[in-house]
Amino acid sequence: MNGKTVARGAASAAVLFLLATVLCGIVYPWAVAGVGAVAFPAQATGSIIEVDGVKYGSELVGQPFSDPTHLWGRPTVANATTFAGEDGEPLLWYEPENISPASDEFAAVVAERAAVVRAAHPGEGDAPVPSDLVTASGSGFDPHISPAAAEYQVGRIAAATGRSEEEVRAIIRQCTEKPLLGALGASRVNVLKVNLMLDGIL
């Protein structure tokens, strides 16, 4: 192999690398972002719930609620100390717990959370606490809970808000998402939407 052959091979590789960089690193991302912005404008901008110019959060990101008048979601591991914005303000970041389900630490954390949930729902007696009220999701910011976890809280919410239990259930039903195509996944309740409806915002 002579020098000219090596030079031509190197030139071809450089051109191919540059072309792939432009196509995969610039053209493709911009094309996907453009199509997303046109076809799915709400989802492409974070699925933010905005009412009368006020942004209340993303319907895809769980928020912690612990007061008696609201539906409680899954436990989250929110972190506001790692990252900051351009203005220096802390950015809220969610992360998984990374605790082994087989560990004593996990058992202790779940038992502590279950005690808190039971204390807030004395009307449920010895009924099992739904697992999604005491365990964090794999991502750490799941915005949904199961219909069973929502039903567990109906009595407490009704008593705290002065609504009837059927009114609370009606709101939960409106915010319940069915399985994809009727078969994929499970029914789930969007916690933020329920709470915004309880507050009369949605």
Side-chain angles (χ1 to χ4, degrees):
M1 182 180 294
N2 57 39
K4 290 184 178 180
T5 302
V6 172
R8 284 197 297 269
S12 298
V15 170
L16 182 59
F17 174 77
L18 180 62
L19 182 61
T21 299
V22 171
L23 288 176
C24 298
I26 299 175
V27 176
Y28 177 74
W30 277 97
V32 170
V35 170
V38 172
F40 308 101
Q43 293 87 336
T45 55
S47 298
I48 302 297
I49 298 177
E50 182 174 348
V51 180
D52 297 330
V54 179
K55 296 179 179 179
Y56 292 94
S58 170
E59 62 183 84
L60 303 178
V61 178
Q63 296 185 26
F65 293 93
S66 58
D67 59 290
T69 61
H70 287 116
L71 186 69
W72 297 359
R74 298 194 71 163
T76 63
V77 185
N79 179 351
T81 62
T82 302
F83 301 103
E86 295 179 357
D87 55 1
E89 290 294 317
L91 297 177
L92 188 62
W93 176 261
Y94 291 81
E95 58 190 356
E97 285 187 312
N98 290 328
I99 303 176
S100 169
S103 68
D104 292 338
E105 180 185 5
F106 179 81
V109 167
V110 169
E112 182 180 348
R113 290 171 177 165
V116 172
V117 172
R118 285 188 185 281
H121 302 85
E124 295 303 312
D126 294 329
V129 175
S131 62
D132 42 337
L133 292 180
V134 294
T135 58
S137 66
S139 63
F141 57 87
D142 193 337
H144 302 96
I145 58 174
S146 65
E151 174 62 28
Y152 187 92
Q153 304 177 64
V154 166
R156 185 253 302 162
I157 295 172
T161 60
R163 296 174 182 267
S164 69
E165 292 191 2
E166 186 49 43
E167 284 180 293
V168 176
R169 288 191 180 98
I171 290 174
I172 290 172
R173 283 195 295 269
Q174 291 182 65
C175 301
T176 299
E177 302 169 14
K178 300 299 182 182
L180 182 63
L181 301 178
L184 300 178
S187 295
R188 55 206 181 276
V189 180
N190 190 287
V191 174
L192 179 58
K193 287 183 177 179
V194 169
N195 289 333
L196 290 177
M197 290 189 71
L198 287 171
D199 290 341
I201 295 172
L202 282 182

